[in-house]
Each structure stands twice: as structure tokens, then as C-alpha cells.
Amino acid sequence: MPTSGTLFESLIILSHVTMFLSLLVVDWIVLVESIPEGLVFNSSTTHQSIYEAWLNLISGAQSSLDIASFYWTLTNDDTHTHEATANQGEQILQELGQLSGKVSVRIAVDKPSERKPMDDIKFLTDSGADVRMVNMRELTSGVLHTKFWIVDKKHIYIGSANMDWRSLTQVKELGAVVYDCSCLAKDLGKIFEAYWYLSQTKTVPAQWPEKYSTLYNKDTPMQLSLNGTDSSVYLSSSPPSLCAEGRTPDLQSVLSVIADAQQFVYIAVMNYLPTMEYSSHKRYWADIDTQLRRVAYERSVRVRLLISCWDSTNPIMIPFLRSLASLQDKSKLDVQVRLFTVPTNPRQKQIPYARVNHNKYMVTDKVAYIGTSNWSGDYFVNTAGSALVVNQTSAQSISPTVQEQLQAVFERDWESSYSTDINHRTNRKDIC
Ligand SMILES: *[C@@H]1O[C@H](CO)[C@@H](O)[C@H](O)[C@H]1NC(C)=O
Ligand SMILES: *[C@@H]1O[C@H](CO)[C@@H](O)[C@H](O)[C@H]1NC(C)=O
Ligand SMILES: *[C@@H]1O[C@H](CO)[C@@H](O)[C@H](O)[C@H]1NC(C)=O
Ligand SMILES: *[C@@H]1O[C@H](CO)[C@@H](O)[C@H](O)[C@H]1NC(C)=O
């Protein structure tokens, strides 16, 4: 029988050992990007490629990989071209196939319409992956647009890249990987489990069971140490009907991040529309637009939007952006809009749905928001998406924060020769 003295001593030793171990296991976060072939920035701001990050995650997987995805075209069979730059996507698919034979691989994918390619999905199923279709069209009249990975219930990837070879080499993308962070992975797992459940049902539960609920949201974020920096972190989700108890809906997250900014709000998204883009009747939807105008007017917050311009840009987006960009008045009102165009050579022009900036993030003087949604009403009202919000404002850290890194990415793109100021004469056709 140990005396209380020795028990006490062993407890102290034990707690030192635990402290030591917890110092060894550091959660870390890495921004990851896809920079399209031929796009060159005159800047030292670079990040690991999404391709490398995915390969790392696959090679490190010990027991499980869960992927939420919109569609799968990792080989270029879909385009009937022979693109050398499809090799990265093809390699990812091969590696995922091999992994599917070894560990549990679960894939939730939006139920493909008749015309969507099914080859990758069939290949993964044959390789041993458990693939389930989520019929969001029927469930919420939206789509499953979310893109994230959860590895070994420990590491996560979230970002704009689809499971598409173009997302690695021909489309500009941004995401984040968080390693060794089981608390965050567990919380993202709840969003994944909701998709998994929905793949087996015809209606969205009016009340989600307890196991899908979360303690972590915009009011009570998770307290983590990322790269040794104190961080408040949470995950938001859309549409609201998919949010169990405690989960911050993605729109509330966007609005609160904008409201919290003191100096600036920088937004880089592919599409920005104060409308319900896909509704059969015209519907105006200005929740985000109003919030931006409000902070610009009431608190002189500097607002910058970097929006994508390509062949398929909805022409109506331009006048709405011109309207925002007209809010300029010396130092009192400062809203600026630029269009980002990915240059295209004749060969690249042959690749459908490529050569575009597909980013979906926001950075303020306080917070980094990394999402998966385009910014129009549909994506917040009926389409499934999610976002990672990282707040390191309270940290006294000398190492760069995620917010600073994301701000540098935004400024690199904003200042680059690929961005053009929008003005009252701007027509889509003149720019892209
Ligand atoms: C790159 O930026 C530096 C510093 O701003 C400038 O001196 C240089 O001329 C630029 N180079 C190109 C190719 O734009
Ligand atoms: C970020 O954290 C600070 C300090 O903890 C808090 O006051 C602020 O509301 C947070 N911002 C957001 C957008 O969550
Ligand atoms: C975002 O919008 C574009 C253009 O409307 C659309 O093609 C795309 O499917 C949407 N979502 C993605 C892939 O992120
Ligand atoms: C965290 O650490 C990783 C690995 O050293 C580094 O690549 C990344 O840039 C760091 N992230 C931040 C926000 O400092």
C-alpha cells in the first residue's frame, strides 16, 4: 500500500510527464493553396500545395479517412483531353484507391445527376471505399457543396478545392490543414456524420439527435493552441436545417466576423451576388451586402472584395459589384472591388471549367475565415457548406498568425497584375 506521500509524489511525477507529452504533441495549422499552371506572383508569399497536403494526409492515414465532397473528376476522362496537368489528380485517386483497401474510407458525395461522371466513384467503391450519395436536391433543394477531409479522427483539411484534377493545377484554390487536433476533428466529424445520416433518409430531422450537437460556436469557441499560439476556433455549417444544437450557421458566422472587424474586411470569393442565384423567381438577398455597407458606413471599416472573373461569370454580378465599389468618400467610406482573372493560353482554353480563382475566404484585422461556399443566398439558405473560423486576437505571439498569413495571401493577389479595379464603366467582357 503506498502511503499518501508517495501517492502524492507519483501524481506529481505523472502530471509532469503529461505536461511534457502535451508539449510534444503540438496542434498545427497550415494554409494550403493551388496556384494554376502559369500563374506567377512576384511575391515571397507561398504555401504548401493542396496536392502535397492531400498526399501527406493519405500517406499518414492509419485507421480512417472521411471525405465530404461535391463531385469527383480526378482523371481528365471527363474532358476528353489528354492534359498532362491531370497527373496530380490521377495520382491522388490512385492513392485513395490503395488506401481504401487498407483503412476505413468513407465518402459522402452530392447525389450526381445523370450527366455527372461516375467513374471515380465506381473505382473507389470497387477499391473498398464506402461511398454514399446525399440527395440534397430532394432534402433542401440545394447541393452538398462541402469539401473537407478528416483523417484518423485527428487531422482535418477544409477549403475550396473540389475532388477535381483541375482544383490541383488549373484552378486557384485555398484551404487549411490542421494536424493533431482531435478536438476539432471530432467536431467536424459531427458535420460529416450528419451528411452520412442524410444519405439514408428522405427528410432532414426537425430536431437533430444529441450526438450531432456541439459545444463550440461563435459565442463559445474551442480554445486551442495552434503552432503554440492561443487560438479560439469553431466550425460553422450551412444550411441552418443541417445545424444541430449549438452549431453556428455559416451565414451567422460570416455576419459576425464582419461585425467584429475594427479596421478591415478583405473577402476573396469566386462569386458574390446579393441574390438567390439559382431560384426560379428572381429573389433579392442582401444579408451580407447590407452588413458590409453597414460596417463601412458606421465604423469606417475598409472593405475590399476580390471576386473572380471568367467566361462563366454571371453578368449581373458586375453591376452589383459596381454598386458596392461606388461607396467611396475620402477617408469616410472605403469600399473597393477588384476582379481577379487567371490568364489562359490557347491550350488551357480547351479545358472546361478551369482557369478561375475559386477561393472562398475572408480575413479581417482579427479573424481568418476559410469556407467552402460561393457568396450568394443559395449557399447559405439551402446548400451544404462549412467553414473554419480562427481567432488569435488574444494571443501574445511572435510567430505569424493564420490571420496574418491569410492577409498576406489576399494582399499578394490584390496587388498582383491579375487584379483589375472595377469602376462604373467596367464590363465583364472587357476584363475576362
Ligand atoms: C517584383 O517586385 C519588386 C519589388 O516590388 C520589383 O522591384 C520588381 O521589379 C518586380 N518584378 C516583376 C517581374 O514584376
Ligand atoms: C475574437 O476573440 C476576441 C477576444 O477573445 C473576441 O472579443 C472577439 O469577439 C472574437 N471575434 C470573433 C469574430 O469571434
Ligand atoms: C460556385 O459557383 C460557380 C459558378 O456559378 C459554380 O460553377 C460552382 O459549381 C459553384 N461552386 C463550386 C464548385 O465551388
Ligand atoms: C505552423 O507550423 C507549420 C509547420 O512548421 C508552418 O508551415 C505553418 O506556416 C505554421 N502556421 C502558422 C499560422 O504559423
Side-chain angles (χ1 to χ4, degrees):
M1 270 267 295
T3 69
S4 63
T6 54
L7 180 61
F8 184 63
E9 278 160 24
S10 21
L11 278 177
I12 291 194
I13 291 168
L14 190 67
S15 80
H16 278 115
V17 169
T18 338
M19 262 170 63
F20 178 67
L21 284 179
S22 68
L23 283 179
L24 282 182
V25 184
V26 204
D27 308 354
W28 38 300
I29 181 163
V30 184
L31 290 184
V32 291
E33 287 192 272
S34 294
I35 303 295
E37 170 194 46
L39 198 74
V40 185
F41 291 112
N42 184 16
S43 159
S44 58
T45 299
T46 56
H47 290 283
Q48 187 184 41
S49 71
I50 293 179
Y51 164 68
E52 276 172 48
W54 284 0
L55 281 183
N56 271 348
L57 287 171
I58 294 171
S59 68
Q62 303 285 319
S63 56
S64 67
L65 169 60
D66 294 334
I67 299 182
S69 54
F70 180 24
Y71 66 90
W72 287 71
T73 49
L74 281 171
T75 71
N76 68 344
D77 291 348
D78 65 315
T79 58
H80 310 290
T81 55
H82 294 281
E83 255 299 317
T85 59
N87 60 351
Q88 298 191 354
E90 288 169 356
Q91 188 188 350
I92 296 288
L93 184 66
Q94 287 309 316
E95 304 261 342
L96 284 175
Q98 277 167 27
L99 189 69
S100 299
K102 291 191 222 139
V103 310
S104 153
V105 174
R106 296 189 300 168
I107 294 168
V109 60
D110 192 52
K111 187 175 172 21
S113 61
E114 303 289 300
R115 332 174 257 116
K116 284 253 184 84
M118 291 287 292
D119 300 353
D120 294 7
I121 291 172
K122 182 165 184 313
F123 168 76
L124 290 166
T125 308
D126 292 347
S127 306
D130 189 357
V131 182
R132 293 195 190 165
M133 321 266 176
V134 186
N135 193 345
M136 286 297 288
R137 218 158 279 103
E138 200 174 285
L139 289 160
T140 65
S141 16
V143 295
L144 182 70
H145 193 255
T146 318
K147 313 129 195 347
F148 64 65
W149 294 26
I150 307 168
V151 181
D152 293 344
K153 305 198 185 311
K154 233 171 29 186
H155 320 296
I156 68 163
Y157 158 84
I158 185 167
S160 64
N162 285 309
M163 299 310 298
D164 183 329
W165 65 271
R166 283 160 287 224
S167 293
L168 300 175
T169 51
Q170 296 292 348
V171 173
K172 189 166 175 301
E173 311 274 7
L174 183 129
V177 184
V178 186
Y179 293 97
D180 277 310
C181 195
S182 48
C183 190
L184 193 58
K186 190 172 168 210
D187 202 49
L188 191 57
K190 292 179 175 184
I191 297 178
F192 183 85
E193 293 299 339
Y195 301 155
W196 206 241
Y197 171 79
L198 288 176
S199 67
Q200 312 285 56
T201 173
K202 287 203 170 341
T203 50
V204 178
Q207 177 95 44
W208 284 89
E210 173 82 31
K211 65 176 179 184
Y212 298 97
S213 66
T214 180
L215 296 172
Y216 307 112
N217 50 48
K218 70 179 174 58
D219 301 317
T220 53
M222 206 178 281
Q223 303 302 323
L224 299 172
S225 169
L226 296 176
N227 290 42
T229 302
D230 289 343
S231 315
S232 307
V233 179
Y234 71 92
L235 296 156
S236 62
S237 178
S238 70
S241 60
L242 264 59
C243 294
E245 179 83 26
R247 181 76 57 197
T248 302
D250 203 19
L251 176 62
Q252 300 318 314
S253 168
V254 167
L255 296 178
S256 69
V257 169
I258 296 172
D260 178 64
Q262 293 293 313
Q263 292 159 26
F264 65 84
V265 177
Y266 294 165
I267 295 165
V269 291
M270 176 174 176
N271 284 356
Y272 176 91
L273 274 166
T275 67
M276 298 293 289
E277 210 180 333
Y278 304 110
S279 99
S280 47
H281 305 288
K282 285 186 180 168
R283 286 274 176 280
Y284 188 61
W285 183 90
D287 297 33
I288 296 175
D289 211 62
T290 303
Q291 189 78 328
L292 292 176
R293 289 168 195 263
R294 189 196 322 273
V295 297
Y297 173 65
E298 292 182 356
R299 293 193 285 106
S300 303
V301 171
R302 182 167 71 242
V303 175
R304 289 180 172 175
L305 292 97
L306 187 59
I307 311 298
S308 306
C309 198
W310 66 324
D311 286 352
S312 311
T313 292
N314 185 343
I316 198 69
M317 190 165 89
I318 307 292
F320 281 123
L321 290 175
R322 282 201 301 250
S323 152
L324 262 177
S326 69
L327 295 177
Q328 274 292 334
D329 185 30
K330 296 254 160 48
S331 58
K332 293 200 219 81
L333 260 181
D334 186 9
V335 181
Q336 299 173 51
V337 181
R338 288 187 181 171
L339 296 176
F340 190 98
T341 315
V342 175
T344 305
N345 68 28
R347 175 180 62 80
Q348 292 160 344
K349 229 184 169 57
Q350 303 303 311
I351 308 171
Y353 309 115
R355 312 303 298 174
V356 65
N357 188 355
H358 194 240
N359 289 176
K360 294 148 189 353
Y361 69 84
M362 161 165 62
V363 57
T364 69
D365 49 298
K366 299 200 162 163
V367 171
Y369 166 101
I370 296 169
T372 69
S373 288
N374 287 323
W375 282 27
S376 63
D378 314 73
Y379 289 89
F380 298 97
V381 172
N382 46 33
T383 278
S386 50
L388 171 70
V389 185
V390 183
N391 183 346
Q392 295 168 318
T393 32
S394 64
Q396 311 286 320
S397 156
I398 38 159
S399 63
T401 60
V402 184
Q403 180 276 335
E404 283 164 335
Q405 288 191 351
L406 198 57
Q407 181 181 347
V409 169
F410 183 91
E411 285 169 350
R412 176 198 68 196
D413 294 359
W414 181 264
E415 304 296 343
S416 77
S417 56
Y418 306 115
S419 298
T420 315
D421 251 319
I422 204 166
N423 62 48
H424 62 281
R425 286 187 307 273
T426 302
N427 270 313
R428 184 183 73 74
K429 287 218 169 66
D430 302 338
I431 296 190
C432 46

